[in-house]
Structures are given as structure tokens and as C-alpha cells.
Amino acid sequence: MDAKLLSPEFPHTIIVSCTDETLPDRLSHAWLLGSCGEDWTWGRVGTDQARFSFRNEQTSSAFQLRASGEARSLSLR
């Protein structure tokens, strides 16, 4: 991962598949876990991915579970 994307304040980073259509859902998952800028940050990675960086590992893991659960449910449709 590019060192410029890493922050010592938000060391737990996850890259998820993210289109313009799924971005609101991804942001909603993150907002349920805390405040943007205080507990997590995000940014686009190309056109079909997003980077979410979290202050602590527990929050990062919770987000990853939510995002992977959503991806599984979408693939079942």
C-alpha cells in the first residue's frame, strides 16, 4: 500500500470494492462505528474501490465484517 495513504492516527486500513452506487452503503457502515475524522477516514482508490482507515483494530474488524457480509448478500441475488 502506498505510504501516503497510511496515517499513524488511523493505522488500520481496509480496501473495499466500492462503486458510486455502493458508496452510500459503505459510508453508512462506517458512520455506525463512529465519526468521520475522529474514528475513521476514507478515500477513493481508483474508480471501483475505497480505502477506510480506522483508529483501532476492533472498529476496523467490525467494518470489515459489515462490508464482507453486504458483499456476500449482493452476490446471492
Side-chain angles (χ1 to χ4, degrees), residues 5 10 13-14 22 25 32 42 48 51-52 60 66 68 73 76:
L5 295 178
F10 303 96
T13 299
I14 299 171
T22 60
D25 291 331
L32 291 172
W42 77 281
D48 62 349
R51 170 197 42 83
F52 287 84
S60 173
R66 289 174 184 266
S68 66
S73 69
L76 296 175

Side-chain angles (χ1 to χ4, degrees), residues 3 11 17 20 27-28 32 35 40 46 49 57 63 67 72-73:
S17 173
D20 289 342
L27 289 170
S28 175
L32 291 172
S35 298
W40 55 272
Q49 294 182 319
E57 186 175 6
F63 176 82
R72 279 194 301 274
S73 69

Side-chain angles (χ1 to χ4, degrees), residues 8-63:
E9 292 182 56
F10 303 96
H12 305 283
T13 299
I14 299 171
I15 304 289
V16 293
S17 173
C18 185
T19 63
D20 289 342
E21 293 80 26
T22 60
L23 180 58
D25 291 331
R26 299 289 192 231
L27 289 170
S28 175
H29 291 319
W31 275 109
L32 291 172
L33 300 169
S35 298
C36 182
E38 292 182 29
D39 302 304
W40 55 272
T41 63
W42 77 281
R44 294 297 282 215
V45 181
T47 59
D48 62 349
Q49 294 182 319
R51 170 197 42 83
F52 287 84
S53 298
F54 297 87
R55 194 173 293 277
N56 66 61
E57 186 175 6
Q58 182 179 4
T59 306
S60 173
S61 295
F63 176 82

